[in-house]
Amino acid sequence: MKWIDILRTSLSNLLRRKLRSVLTMLGVVLGTAAIVVTMSLGEGAERTQMAALEASTNLKLIQVWPNYGGSGDTETATGRKISEITDSVIREIRAVDHVEAVTPLVYVYGGMSFSLETGKYKSDYTTLVGVIPEDFAKLVDLKEGTFFSGATDRVEFLMPEMTMMEFRDTKKKNQEYVDVWQLMMDGEELPLPDINWLRDRYTLTMTWEDYTNVSETQPDPEVYTKEFKAKMVGILDADLSSNFNSGTFVNLNWLKRLQKENKALFKDLGFTGLDNYDQVYVLAESVDDVVQVVRDLNQLGVQCYSPMESVATFKEQISTMQAFLGFIGMISMLVAALSIANTMMMSIYERTREIGVMKVLGCKLGNIRMMFLSEAAYIGVFGGILGLIVSYTLSYALNNVAWLQGIVASVMSGSNFFGSGMGDISVITPQLALFTWLGVVVVSVASGLYPAQRAMQLSSLAAIRNND
């Protein structure tokens, strides 16, 4: 028999017993839909969590700090522990593969304070944060303006909108309190002071106190100030999820120049933060590189944290959930496979005489086997296709019908996996659909192997004499 004849005969045999074939195929449809939909819920949960993390943080960003040692620390391969992050260590970190940018965040504390003033507006408590200009530009996005020019002979600064809200009108005694955090959580526009931010000129004032001559007769220390002309070059957007939503960012090299020119004063005031860094941010080239970069940084001897550690935890939980859901789907598929095997066996018993005649007429055993395997394959092919159609229909309903979403959320502890408004809860990828369909076809053919073997082993004469 030719292949086309085998396929035509197999299809004809299925159509002769339409009801039984349809019922058997229905089991395959339900099994396929059970696997695809349950696995799609796991895919949807993972994408939901990734979307939530990407909305709340930069997944490529890695926080680095010195390794001060401790009983609970894990030794690196070299046993090295970096307890001070200096400029030479920054160069080592920059040389790590897949690192795009590195900058320390140097907060200017100590016995000095800073204030910014422009016109009638003043920010009394300004926290200066030194950053490396070219690297910091890769870590943040500007709402307006430009990044640092790189000059160290003048004060240039970037400021997030949250910090801009700290400016107060010095001519008003009683000013209304503004809950900046609540406004940002509500997604409302911040009522920024009426300042021409990128055009106005600012005065940065450094203030410190000298307690050298303090005595009973003169209990108050002498107060000194030093003023610098300053210019805002850029504005950072208000973003609660940002690591850089507060402080006034200045060129770290300008801070180093200021310290060098006032070395004795900075030493007396106890500020030595420019010699080593307590907080460093590293930007990986891509999200896929983060895990390897973190591993390399740990081997270098520093400690670090990445939001991808949270992603790994979520993925582990979701993998467990997917395994459970997949197990449920496989049970449905197993029932469908047993149904296919039963249908094939029934077909053999009903067609015993037909099989005997085919053998007597010289039909090859391989052709008889392929005929029954083809029937099983037809059930898998068409049942799988219909199952995918049902799966996509159910997936669409799950993503668009509120009460169905509520059921899924309650059954699967949706508060942990599915975030409100974060995207579809059911996601059928092309890979999931293709591999499930191929798997269903393979399972269907496998279910027909034993019945096909039984058909080959039937005695020709006994089959012809069979009156059933």
Side-chain angles (χ1 to χ4, degrees):
M1 293 179 69
K2 297 181 180 179
W3 271 100
I4 188 66
D5 295 326
I6 294 175
L7 295 176
R8 186 185 296 112
T9 303
S10 299
L11 183 59
S12 176
N13 289 331
L14 284 177
L15 293 176
R16 277 194 299 176
R17 297 166 180 84
K18 295 183 179 64
L19 180 59
R20 188 169 65 193
S21 298
V22 169
L23 291 176
T24 303
M25 196 174 295
L26 182 61
V28 177
V29 171
L30 295 177
T32 303
I35 294 174
V36 173
V37 173
T38 52
M39 295 300 289
S40 75
L41 292 174
E43 181 70 24
E46 181 173 345
R47 293 196 180 190
T48 296
Q49 290 302 324
M50 287 296 292
L53 283 170
E54 288 175 357
S56 62
T57 187
N58 184 349
L59 293 180
K60 296 193 298 179
L61 206 59
I62 305 168
Q63 291 178 267
V64 176
W65 58 90
N67 190 335
Y68 296 112
S71 58
D73 289 343
T74 302
E75 291 284 347
T76 63
T78 60
R80 182 186 184 190
K81 289 186 176 181
I82 297 176
S83 58
E84 291 186 351
I85 300 181
T86 60
D87 287 331
S88 62
V89 175
I90 292 292
R91 287 191 289 271
E92 288 186 68
I93 294 175
R94 199 184 301 279
V96 171
D97 290 339
H98 306 297
V99 168
E100 183 177 354
V102 183
T103 181
L105 260 62
V106 181
Y107 290 84
V108 183
Y109 296 121
M112 68 188 80
S113 62
F114 292 87
S115 63
L116 269 170
E117 188 172 5
T118 178
K120 63 179 181 178
Y121 291 95
K122 184 178 182 181
S123 175
D124 289 313
Y125 304 103
T126 300
T127 301
L128 296 187
V129 185
V131 295
I132 298 176
E134 56 271 21
D135 291 271
F136 189 67
K138 298 176 182 179
L139 269 61
V140 297
D141 294 320
L142 289 182
K143 183 176 182 178
E144 293 182 52
T146 61
F147 286 101
F148 303 103
S149 67
T152 59
D153 58 344
R154 60 182 181 271
V155 183
E156 295 179 343
F157 64 91
L158 299 170
M159 190 175 283
E161 291 185 330
M162 285 184 65
T163 305
M164 292 159 63
M165 288 294 296
E166 296 176 3
F167 280 85
R168 295 289 182 266
D169 189 341
T170 56
K171 295 182 179 180
K172 290 184 179 180
K173 292 184 178 181
N174 299 319
Q175 299 192 51
E176 182 181 355
Y177 170 74
V178 178
D179 191 338
V180 176
W181 284 92
Q182 188 60 51
L183 288 175
M184 292 181 65
M185 289 175 63
D186 294 339
E188 297 184 21
E189 192 82 14
L190 295 181
L192 297 174
D194 187 19
I195 299 174
N196 196 340
W197 296 99
L198 298 179
R199 292 184 178 274
D200 286 355
R201 297 296 174 179
Y202 301 80
T203 299
L204 176 67
T205 303
M206 182 174 71
T207 304
W208 69 95
E209 297 176 342
D210 185 358
Y211 289 83
T212 305
N213 299 321
V214 170
S215 63
E216 293 182 3
T217 58
Q218 188 178 340
D220 296 325
E222 295 184 25
V223 178
Y224 295 92
T225 61
K226 188 170 185 177
E227 294 183 349
F228 306 90
K229 298 299 181 183
K231 176 176 174 54
M232 179 190 285
V233 293
I235 299 173
L236 305 181
D237 199 1
D239 185 0
L240 283 174
S241 64
S242 173
N243 298 82
F244 315 103
N245 56 19
S246 63
T248 301
F249 298 96
V250 297
N251 189 336
L252 180 58
N253 293 323
W254 174 81
L255 274 180
K256 289 185 174 183
R257 177 173 177 171
L258 179 65
Q259 183 188 38
K260 185 176 181 181
E261 293 174 351
N262 301 272
K263 190 173 183 179
L265 173 61
F266 272 60
K267 184 177 181 180
D268 291 341
L269 295 176
F271 181 73
T272 58
L274 301 181
D275 300 325
N276 57 77
Y277 312 114
D278 293 327
Q279 187 176 16
V280 176
Y281 279 92
V282 175
L283 185 70
E285 291 179 350
S286 70
V287 173
D288 295 333
D289 296 324
V290 171
V291 174
Q292 184 60 47
V293 172
V294 168
R295 189 179 296 117
D296 292 342
L297 291 174
N298 285 328
Q299 289 301 313
L300 187 64
V302 296
Q303 292 183 320
C304 50
Y305 167 77
S306 164
M308 288 300 291
E309 293 181 18
S310 300
V311 173
T313 302
F314 281 126
K315 283 188 174 182
E316 184 177 346
Q317 295 174 348
I318 291 169
S319 296
T320 302
M321 183 184 72
Q322 281 185 306
F324 173 71
L325 296 175
F327 176 73
I328 295 175
M330 288 306 297
I331 291 177
S332 301
M333 199 62 235
L334 176 62
V335 173
L338 293 175
S339 177
I340 293 173
N342 180 66
T343 299
M344 294 295 100
M345 290 300 296
M346 291 296 295
S347 179
I348 290 172
Y349 292 141
E350 293 172 354
R351 294 156 57 191
T352 300
R353 289 176 60 84
E354 179 183 333
I355 295 171
V357 170
M358 292 174 64
K359 284 187 173 184
V360 170
L361 294 176
C363 183
K364 296 180 180 179
L365 294 179
N367 289 338
I368 295 174
R369 179 175 56 192
M370 287 306 302
M371 186 170 60
F372 283 95
L373 290 180
S374 297
E375 290 183 32
Y378 273 126
I379 294 174
V381 169
F382 294 119
I385 292 174
L386 291 174
L388 289 179
I389 294 174
V390 172
S391 300
Y392 277 104
T393 303
L394 288 174
S395 179
Y396 178 83
L398 287 171
N399 293 329
N400 294 276
V401 179
W403 64 270
L404 284 177
Q405 294 175 345
I407 292 176
V408 173
S410 62
V411 171
M412 302 179 61
S413 300
S415 58
N416 294 327
F417 293 110
F418 298 106
S420 177
M422 293 306 298
D424 294 337
I425 67 172
S426 172
V427 177
I428 301 176
T429 62
Q431 294 87 348
L432 174 60
L434 176 61
F435 287 118
T436 302
W437 180 74
L438 291 176
V440 167
V441 174
V442 170
V443 169
S444 299
V445 173
S447 301
L449 283 174
Y450 178 72
Q453 194 67 22
R454 284 293 303 272
M456 292 171 58
Q457 294 172 351
L458 285 175
S459 169
S460 302
L461 294 178
I464 293 175
R465 286 198 296 264
N466 193 323
N467 294 321
D468 295 337

